[in-house]
Structure formats: C-alpha cells, structure tokens
Amino acid sequence: MTVRQAALAACRVTSKGEKHMEKKYVLEFKDIRKSFSGVQVLNDISFSVERGKVHALLGENGAGKSTLMKILSGAYTKDGGTISFDGKEIAPKNTNDSEKLGISIIYQELNLIPEISIAENIYLHRQPEKYGFVDWKKMNRMAKEMLEKVGLKLKPQELVGRLTVAQQQMVEIAKALSKDLKLLIMDEPTSSLTDAETKTLFGLIGSLKEKGITIIYISHRMNEIFEICDSYTVMRDGSVIQSGQLQDTNLDELIKNMVGHDMSQVFPKHQPRIGEEVLRAEHISNGAEVKEVSFYLKKGEILGFAGLMGAGRTETFKAIFGYDSRRKGDIYVKGEKVNIRSPKDAIRCGLGYVPEDRRREGLVTSLPVVDNIVMVKMENAMKKGFYSASKAKEISSRFISSLMIKTTGIFQKCKFLSGGNQQKVVLAKWLNCDSDILILDEPTRGIDINAKSEIYQMIVDLAESGKSVIVISSELPEVIGLCDRVYVMYEGRITGQLDREELDQESIMHYAMGGN
C-alpha cells in the first residue's frame, strides 16, 4: 500500500460527503499543571494516548498519576494546560461531565455502596423506569448480563457489602462496562483478583480494544504491563519522564525511570536465624471456608501462605486472631495452649494482624498518624494513668523515622498518605504493641515497586530481630522471593508445604489447584 492509499484508507466520508480524518490519538494532555496549598504536584504534563490501545500509566505512589486521572474524570480541576479528547478540547467540571463524554474510571479504592444490591450499584442514578417507578425486573436482568461479562456468577439482588474485595472489584468493572464507553481508566484492577479472574479481565480488555475502546491501565504489576499494554508513560515527582511503545523498552529501563535509580535487588538478602516453635495451630475450622487447618511457625521465620482466592487463607487467620467466633481447633503460643476468643486475646498473646483491606480494617483514615499508631496499646502513651500527648508524639515520631514513613508530620490524617505509607502506619501500630508474631495479609497490595522493596526489607529486618512473620500473598514472586517456608491452601485445606529450596511457581500452583 502506498502512502497516499494509506492516507485515503484512514479517511471516512460523512453523510455530507466531507472527508474526515480519524485522529490517531483519542486523548492528548498538553502542559497540565496542578498544585495543592502551594505545592506543585503536576508539572507541565504532556503525552498522548492512541485510539483503541491499552496505555500503561506508570510511576510510584505520589508520582501524580491519580491526580492527573482525577483531572481527566472531573474530580479535580487543572490549574493550567489543555486536554483534548476525541478531537475536542475538554474541561470536565465533575464526573457526570466526563461520563457524558464516554470516560469512565475505576479507582483502586472501590466506590460502591455496601448497603444496596449489585444491580443498584451498577445502575445507580441510571435505573430503568416503568410508569415512573424503578423497573426492578429489567434492571436485575441487565445487571445479570453485565455480571456474566466479567465472569461473576452472583445474583444481582445480593448486597455488595456481603461480597469479597475481589468480587467488588469485578462489580466495579461491570458497572463501567454498562456505560457508553470510549475511554476506560483502570487503577490497579487486578490487585485483589485471582489468576483466573485476571485472565477473564484481560479477555474483556481484548474485547474492548476490538471495539475501538481505549484503556489507560495503572498497575504496579510489571508482568501485566508487558502482557496487555501497547504503549506507556512513566511519571515521577509530578513530571513525565518517558513515553513510548512497550516493544521498544524493557523492565529494567521502566523501573529505573520510575524510581530514579537501579532496582537490581527487589528482594533483600535474608540470612534466617530460625529458632524454637512460637505458634502452632491444630485442626482449625470455622464451619465454612476453613477445614482442619494445621501448621506451625518458628522464631525468626518468614512463613508464607499461598493459594487462589477462596482458598481460605484470610479466613484461617481471622479465625486464629479471634475475629471469627465460630472457630474450632487448638492454638499454642510458645508451647502453651491459649484460648483466643477475640482480637484482644490475640494481642495479649503477642499476635499482630495487618489486614488485606488496610483502609477499612487496618486504619481509621480520618484520624492522624499519631492516633493510629498508639490506638491499640494506649497504655504505652500513658503517664501516671493519663494520656500523654508528648509520649504519643515520641512513640509515633520514632516509628515514622525507623520505618521511613513519608508524612508532613504526626498529625497528618492517614487518608492523605500513599498506600505504602498507610501500610507502614498499620505495621507501626503492631510494633508499638511489641507483637512477637505478625500476620501480614497481602502486605504489598496496591503499593508501588519502591515501597514494596521497603516493605520487604522491613519484613526481613523483623525476622532477623527475632520476630516471626506470616505473609499471606497472592503474588507468587513475593512468596518465592521472601519466605523461608510456604504452606499452600485449596478450598479451606492445606494441600502442600514447601521449604525454601523447593519453592517455584509450578510447585505452588500444583498445590493451589488441589494437587497433593
């Protein structure tokens, strides 16, 4: 095909017979600027996104990615620069404006109402009506079709609050697909999905591309970026560092551009000094997701728990920590049988628990850093029987320094911290309790690669100081690179145990799929 023929092929004739050139780029940012309280967070951001492609937006937490996407979605207003979408300059004033243009965003922190049904969440403010009333039958039928598209076998009438985090994530995706889409923004869409659900999502993304829908994909999982994305933009400290086609770059170059230096060793070197047994669980059951689980943990050990979603890992440790009153089975701490009926009992036994959903279960995000750190063991901040602000400041300042928590100060509210720094605050809370046994459920979920490396180093440091750490993770490289020993679960039972020298993805997946 000649250049002239290619140009003609790119043209289409309108009803009036006018020739119209389809623009290559559906979205173009030019010199976008934004500041908060005098602090510049976006500095002259300029890049373009090709029509019908998947564009990766990369960078550490705090790089400015979310701020830029909130400007595009109408949640924030820009201070300067222009945005062109579908050939026209736009300036959305709210999310309704962007949705009318065909732009939809799925945030990492889900935006669903737990007290209403799946169908109501999907069609909120867009419910079909009949004779002036909501047509429930039609809405539930439409919602069921959307759920089937994302591979969820759930009743549309089910309350969202009863769903797992992964199921809620898929409902968010179904909600986005129910709209007239031209551009879909996905922020860490697979952070709580199983491998099977991730494959379903990637299939959906492929279908959307075939329909000419453009996707901006934000993820810290670099293997996903190379699997499904066509092009990329790297941001750092509010500026664009590099843009291009993924086929023209590699993982090392991307990471270096994201963090500003080489990351040759993501997982720190670990010389385990494993001692005596500190925790033993025998025949733990909860009458539902957990069935006869038995394991042991030793001093100074990093013990992994792997498995697919629904395997019962989180439920096992919620039962052990006293969240689940239905628990049966025996627990021994340092050789002594203990009766844990509540989290208070677990804390008295020296256990600490960092939950999967840190924002809802691990923090009070409306409170400042200092309150979150001291809240579980307030007596540490007491003087002569009264709360001491100076002692609380001393404790929190010590942890901010030792854990390198990036914050404006002890009184900054946790909701304004990045994901990695929120996770460090939750960890500080349990270190303030002097917990000997730390249970970390998905400790790096939704955290950028630099913050992940810092969390890994903390885990290793804790183990080498004599603490015992249990890591529940869906990321196989994390389990393999970090843990001394791994239990694998399937449908509520432990199907395999692997020592460090036996750890590889094939072996873990064998047990995770029910092998024995």
Side-chain angles (χ1 to χ4, degrees):
M1 182 182 289
T2 66
V3 174
R4 182 174 180 278
Q5 287 172 329
L8 290 171
C11 296
R12 59 183 173 84
V13 180
T14 66
S15 57
K16 294 182 179 180
E18 298 170 341
K19 289 182 179 179
H20 172 75
M21 179 69 75
E22 183 96 3
K23 285 180 69 70
K24 178 181 179 182
Y25 298 109
V26 69
L27 177 66
E28 296 175 87
F29 295 103
K30 187 173 182 181
D31 301 327
I32 303 298
R33 300 184 302 280
K34 180 67 179 177
S35 63
F36 293 104
S37 303
V39 178
Q40 197 76 21
V41 293
L42 293 180
N43 305 295
D44 297 321
I45 299 294
S46 298
F47 67 91
S48 302
V49 178
E50 290 184 66
R51 186 183 303 275
K53 302 290 185 180
V54 182
H55 188 90
L57 185 57
L58 305 172
E60 297 184 81
N61 289 338
K65 308 185 302 293
S66 295
T67 300
L68 183 65
M69 292 301 99
K70 285 179 179 178
I71 289 172
L72 177 59
S73 68
Y76 291 163
T77 55
K78 56 184 169 57
D79 295 339
T82 59
I83 303 173
S84 296
F85 179 68
D86 221 8
K88 297 178 182 178
E89 186 175 329
I90 63 168
K93 294 180 181 178
N94 51 54
T95 52
N96 286 336
D97 285 353
S98 62
E99 287 185 359
K100 287 175 184 176
L101 293 167
I103 301 170
S104 187
I105 183 168
I106 301 172
Y107 293 105
Q108 181 184 347
E109 304 300 339
L110 305 180
N111 190 28
L112 299 171
I113 302 173
E115 295 81 12
I116 62 176
S117 72
I118 294 172
E120 289 172 287
N121 269 281
I122 291 175
Y123 292 101
L124 190 65
H125 304 309
R126 301 180 295 126
Q127 301 97 325
E129 293 186 355
K130 189 175 183 180
Y131 307 124
F133 296 95
V134 174
D135 190 340
W136 293 97
K137 187 175 181 180
K138 183 178 180 180
M139 185 169 70
N140 287 329
R141 186 180 70 248
M142 291 162 59
K144 187 178 180 181
E145 291 173 0
M146 291 299 112
L147 292 174
E148 288 173 352
K149 281 188 177 181
V150 298
L152 275 183
K153 296 179 181 178
L154 294 172
K155 292 182 179 179
Q157 300 90 337
E158 192 160 349
L159 294 181
V160 161
R162 294 176 182 169
L163 307 182
T164 65
V165 175
Q167 289 171 331
Q168 290 182 26
Q169 180 80 8
M170 299 304 281
V171 170
E172 278 277 26
I173 294 167
K175 181 179 177 180
L177 295 179
S178 70
K179 301 171 184 176
D180 184 17
L181 272 181
K182 291 182 180 178
L183 172 67
L184 177 61
I185 305 158
M186 293 182 165
D187 190 353
E188 295 289 349
T190 64
S191 60
S192 57
L193 303 186
T194 65
D195 289 343
E197 289 166 333
T198 298
K199 286 181 181 178
T200 300
L201 175 63
F202 288 175
L204 278 171
I205 289 173
S207 299
L208 293 174
K209 278 181 63 178
E210 289 176 2
K211 295 176 182 176
I213 294 171
T214 307
I215 296 164
I216 294 178
Y217 195 89
I218 304 171
S219 178
H220 298 305
R221 295 183 173 182
M222 303 306 291
N223 59 318
E224 294 180 359
I225 297 300
F226 282 97
E227 183 175 349
I228 64 164
C229 297
D230 304 296
S231 53
Y232 71 94
T233 293
V234 175
M235 292 180 64
R236 187 173 75 239
D237 297 330
S239 299
V240 170
I241 303 301
Q242 189 177 40
S243 286
Q245 299 296 314
L246 274 165
Q247 64 186 17
D248 299 328
T249 188
N250 57 54
L251 178 61
D252 291 339
E253 183 182 12
L254 287 181
I255 292 175
K256 185 176 181 180
N257 283 321
M258 287 165 62
V259 303
H261 55 82
D262 288 319
M263 291 281 290
S264 56
Q265 187 66 46
V266 176
F267 295 102
K269 291 181 180 179
H270 175 36
Q271 298 295 330
R273 294 191 290 270
I274 297 173
E276 70 278 6
E277 183 179 291
V278 294
L279 176 67
R280 177 174 288 272
E282 293 185 349
H283 309 296
I284 303 297
S285 302
N286 69 356
E289 306 94 342
V290 185
K291 305 162 187 174
E292 297 289 323
V293 171
S294 300
F295 67 91
Y296 66 89
L297 170 70
K298 292 188 173 184
K299 183 177 181 178
E301 185 177 29
I302 302 174
L303 178 64
F305 269 76
L308 303 177
M309 193 193 78
R313 296 165 301 160
T314 295
E315 292 79 6
T316 295
F317 287 96
K318 282 192 171 182
I320 288 171
F321 201 72
Y323 282 119
D324 194 338
S325 60
R326 299 173 297 173
R327 193 204 76 227
K328 295 179 181 179
D330 299 320
I331 300 171
Y332 298 84
V333 176
K334 297 179 181 177
E336 183 180 340
K337 187 175 180 179
V338 295
N339 188 13
I340 298 177
R341 294 184 177 181
S342 70
K344 282 187 178 180
D345 293 334
I347 293 166
R348 280 194 288 266
C349 291
L351 275 65
Y353 183 83
V354 177
E356 176 186 8
D357 192 341
R358 58 180 171 268
R359 288 178 67 92
R360 294 186 185 181
E361 299 177 353
L363 292 168
V364 181
T365 56
S366 59
L367 291 181
V369 170
V370 58
D371 291 349
N372 274 279
I373 289 176
V374 303
M375 65 169 52
V376 175
K377 201 163 187 178
M378 290 289 289
E379 54 264 40
N380 285 359
M382 296 284 191
K383 274 185 181 178
K384 297 180 180 180
F386 294 95
Y387 177 79
S388 168
S390 62
K391 200 164 185 183
K393 179 181 179 181
E394 177 193 331
I395 291 167
S396 55
S397 297
R398 185 173 75 248
F399 285 119
I400 287 171
S401 175
S402 63
L403 299 182
M404 297 182 292
I405 301 171
K406 293 178 183 176
T407 172
T408 58
I410 65 171
F411 297 112
Q412 184 176 19
K413 291 183 179 179
C414 285
K415 65 183 177 182
F416 297 121
L417 300 180
S418 68
N421 288 300
Q422 286 179 349
Q423 192 74 309
K424 291 179 185 179
V425 171
V426 182
L427 191 57
K429 176 175 70 175
W430 293 111
L431 294 178
N432 180 49
C433 297
D434 198 26
S435 303
D436 292 322
I437 300 166
L438 287 163
I439 303 163
L440 312 181
D441 195 348
E442 302 290 356
T444 63
R445 174 176 174 254
I447 292 175
D448 65 62
I449 194 161
N450 209 29
K452 277 186 179 184
S453 184
E454 291 177 358
I455 296 288
Y456 296 150
Q457 185 63 60
M458 287 177 206
I459 292 171
V460 167
D461 290 344
L462 288 168
E464 292 183 349
S465 72
K467 304 285 187 185
S468 302
V469 186
I470 293 171
V471 175
I472 306 165
S473 178
S474 300
E475 295 194 33
L476 295 188
E478 186 167 274
V479 171
I480 295 167
L482 194 62
C483 299
D484 302 311
R485 190 164 52 91
V486 173
Y487 287 102
V488 188
M489 292 186 66
Y490 171 75
E491 292 188 349
R493 302 180 188 276
I494 289 177
T495 50
Q497 178 191 171
L498 297 164
D499 292 328
R500 189 175 188 87
E501 59 272 13
E502 300 174 298
L503 290 176
D504 58 59
Q505 295 200 20
E506 291 77 15
S507 298
I508 293 173
M509 286 307 298
H510 169 74
Y511 292 119
M513 299 295 288
N516 53 42

